[in-house]
C-alpha cells in the first residue's frame, strides 16, 4: 500500500510539473469550491471535507466545502451546472443527483451526461439500517414482523424524498412485501437528530453519517446494505445474510465539474484525488466510514454512473415511486 501511494504521488507530481504553462494560465487563481448538496453532519459533507483538507495542502490554495442543501442534492447540482467551467467550482456528486433524480424527476433542469464532466469516484458505502435508542425491534426479523403487524405506521426517515435512503426503503418494501411510513428530511443531520430523539424509528442511513452514532451507542446498527460486509463494520450482518437475497443499496460520492470543464483540468483533479485517496490516514478514515472502491479513472466513474442510473430506474418503475418535483 505504501509503495502504491508513493508511485501515485510521484506520478501526480511529475504530471503537474510537466504542464506548468497550462495551470499557470488555466488553473483557478482563487479558492476552489466543492459544493455539497446536503447540510453539515451528513456523509457527503464528511467525505468532501476529508478530500478538501488534503487538496488544500497539495495545491497550496484553499479548497472550501460549500453546503447548498435541498431536493436531496438536486439544488446543488443545478447550481454547479451554472458555474464557470474553469475548475473553481466542483460538485460532490451523489447517487441522488446523478442516478436517482433522472428517473424520479422528469422536469430535471440538467442532463447528467451533457451537463457534467465525471472526474473521480470518492467512495461507495453501504447504507446502514439503524434503529433509534428507544426501539424494541432491533433485529431485521423483528422489524419486518413489526412492519407486517402495523402496516404503514412504522416510520423510516431519509435525507429527502428521492434520496438514496428513500430508495433503499423502497427496495426493502418491494422485496419484503411490506408497507412502511417514509419521513423525508432535508439531509442526514436533522434526520439523525430526530432518530436519536425517538421522533422516528428507523432509517437506511448512509454508513458515513451513521457510523459515529453507532460507535457512540446512540443508535443501533441492524444491517448493512451491500452483499459483502464493509471493513469498517465487520460485526454488522448484511441484508442478504438475513434473508434479503441480493439486496444491494449503496450510497456513492464522486467529484464532477460543469459540462465544459477542460480535459486537462479534469485529468489533473483525477490524478490528485487518486493520490489523496491512497494516503494511509485517508484510507483509515474511509474504512471507518465504510467508504470503499474510491479512485480509478474518469472512464470508470462514467460507466458506474450509467449502470446505477439503469438499476435504480427499474426500482422506481417497479415500485411506482413518485416524488414531488
Amino acid at each position: 500500500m505504501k509503495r502504491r501511494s508513493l508511485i501515485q504521488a510521484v506520478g501526480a507530481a511529475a504530471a503537474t510539473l510537466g504542464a506548468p504553462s497550462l495551470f499557470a494560465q488555466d488553473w483557478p487563481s482563487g479558492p476552489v469550491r466543492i459544493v455539497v448538496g446536503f447540510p453539515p453532519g451528513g456523509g457527503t459533507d464528511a467525505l468532501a471535507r476529508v478530500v478538501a483538507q488534503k487538496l488544500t495542502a497539495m495545491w497550496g490554495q484553499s479548497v472550501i466545502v460549500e453546503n447548498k442543501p435541498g431536493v436531496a442534492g438536486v439544488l446543488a447540482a443545478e447550481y454547479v451546472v451554472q458555474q464557470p467551467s474553469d475548475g473553481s467550482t466542483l460538485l460532490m456528486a451523489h447517487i441522488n443527483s446523478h442516478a436517482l433524480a433522472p428517473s424520479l424527476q422528469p422536469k430535471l433542469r440538467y442532463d447528467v451526461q451533457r451537463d457534467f464532466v465525471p472526474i473521480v469516484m470518492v467512495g461507495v458505502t453501504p447504507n446502514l439500517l439503524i434503529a433509534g435508542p428507544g426501539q424494541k425491534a432491533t433485529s431485521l426479523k423483528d422489524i419486518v414482523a413489526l412492519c407486517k403487524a402495523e402496516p404503514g405506521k412504522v416510520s423510516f426517515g431519509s435525507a429527502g424524498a428521492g434520496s438514496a435512503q428513500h430508495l433503499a426503503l423502497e427496495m426493502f418494501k418491494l422485496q419484503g412485501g411490506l408497507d412502511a411510513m417514509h419521513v423525508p428530511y432535508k439531509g442526514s443531520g436533522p434526520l439523525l437528530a430526530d432518530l436519536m430523539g425517538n421522533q422516528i424509528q428507523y432509517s437506511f442511513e448512509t454508513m458515513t453519517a451513521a457510523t459515529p452514532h453507532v460507535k457512540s451507542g446512540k443508535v443501533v446498527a441492524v444491517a448493512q446494505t451491500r452483499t459483502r460486509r464493509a471493513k469498517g463494520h465487520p460485526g454488522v450482518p448484511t441484508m442478504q445474510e438475513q434473508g434479503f437475497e441480493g439486496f444491494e443499496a449503496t450510497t456513492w460520492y464522486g467529484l464532477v465539474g460543469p459540462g465544459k470543464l477542460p480535459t486537462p483540468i479534469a485529468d489533473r483533479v483525477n490524478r490528485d484525488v487518486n493520490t489523496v485517496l491512497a494516503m494511509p490516514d485517508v484510507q483509515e478514515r474511509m474504512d471507518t466510514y465504510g467508504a470503499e472502491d474510491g479512485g480509478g479513472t474518469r472512464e470508470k466513474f462514467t460507466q458506474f454512473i450509467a449502470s446505477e442510473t439503469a438499476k435504480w430506474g427499474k426500482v422506481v418503475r417497479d415500485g411506482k415511486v413518485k416524488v414531488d418535483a
Side-chain angles (χ1 to χ4, degrees), residues 67-92:
N67 300 87
K68 289 188 175 295
V71 198
V74 169
L75 288 184
E78 291 178 344
Y79 171 78
V80 170
V81 163
Q82 300 170 14
Q83 302 310 302
S85 295
D86 60 0
S88 63
T89 305
L90 306 175
L91 173 71
M92 183 61 88

Side-chain angles (χ1 to χ4, degrees), residues 57-292:
M58 182 180 294
W59 292 342
Q61 65 189 105
S62 296
V63 180
I64 301 167
V65 174
E66 185 172 321
N67 300 87
K68 289 188 175 295
V71 198
V74 169
L75 288 184
E78 291 178 344
Y79 171 78
V80 170
V81 163
Q82 300 170 14
Q83 302 310 302
S85 295
D86 60 0
S88 63
T89 305
L90 306 175
L91 173 71
M92 183 61 88
H94 189 279
I95 180 176
N96 296 356
S97 60
H98 276 59
L100 304 183
S103 296
L104 289 166
Q105 300 189 30
K107 296 182 181 179
L108 201 62
R109 284 183 260 179
Y110 58 83
D111 181 281
V112 169
Q113 293 185 340
R114 180 194 65 212
D115 294 329
F116 292 97
V117 174
I119 297 174
V120 64
M121 174 74 82
V122 172
V124 181
T125 72
N127 293 303
L128 277 179
L129 173 54
I130 52 178
Q135 303 310 310
K136 294 181 180 179
T138 56
S139 71
L140 186 58
K141 179 181 177 181
D142 288 346
I143 294 171
V144 169
L146 182 62
C147 290
K148 290 182 176 180
E150 301 179 12
K153 296 182 179 180
V154 182
S155 57
F156 288 75
S158 82
S163 66
Q165 298 97 319
H166 178 195
L167 269 291
L169 171 61
E170 295 298 335
M171 182 180 281
F172 175 60
K173 290 163 58 180
L174 270 176
Q175 196 163 337
L178 305 171
D179 188 13
M181 181 192 305
H182 172 228
V183 183
Y185 287 81
K186 292 183 178 180
S188 293
L191 179 164
L192 286 162
D194 270 11
L195 185 73
M196 290 185 285
N198 289 312
Q199 303 301 308
I200 55 173
Q201 294 167 275
Y202 303 99
S203 177
F204 282 93
E205 182 52 85
T206 65
M207 185 173 282
T208 313
T211 290
H213 306 294
V214 172
K215 299 292 187 184
S216 69
K218 294 179 181 177
V219 300
V220 178
V222 177
Q224 52 182 299
T225 63
R226 289 191 93 174
T227 52
R228 56 182 172 84
R229 297 189 188 191
K231 289 183 286 184
H233 289 268
V236 180
T238 66
M239 295 285 289
Q240 177 167 278
E241 290 175 74
Q242 300 180 77
F244 279 68
E245 184 64 30
F247 193 103
E248 179 136 355
T250 65
T251 298
W252 50 262
Y253 318 84
L255 286 176
V256 301
K260 295 182 180 179
L261 186 71
T263 296
I265 291 180
D267 286 345
R268 180 189 177 183
V269 177
N270 174 276
R271 286 193 300 268
D272 289 350
V273 173
N274 268 290
T275 300
V276 165
L277 294 175
M279 294 176 179
D281 60 327
V282 172
Q283 289 179 353
E284 183 177 351
R285 293 184 70 178
M286 292 292 177
D287 287 346
T288 299
Y289 289 135
E292 300 176 349

Side-chain angles (χ1 to χ4, degrees), residues 21-46:
S21 59
L22 168 67
F23 297 115
Q25 296 173 11
D26 297 341
W27 190 254
S29 58
V32 173
R33 297 181 297 160
I34 298 178
V35 178
V36 169
F38 302 91
T44 319
D45 180 76

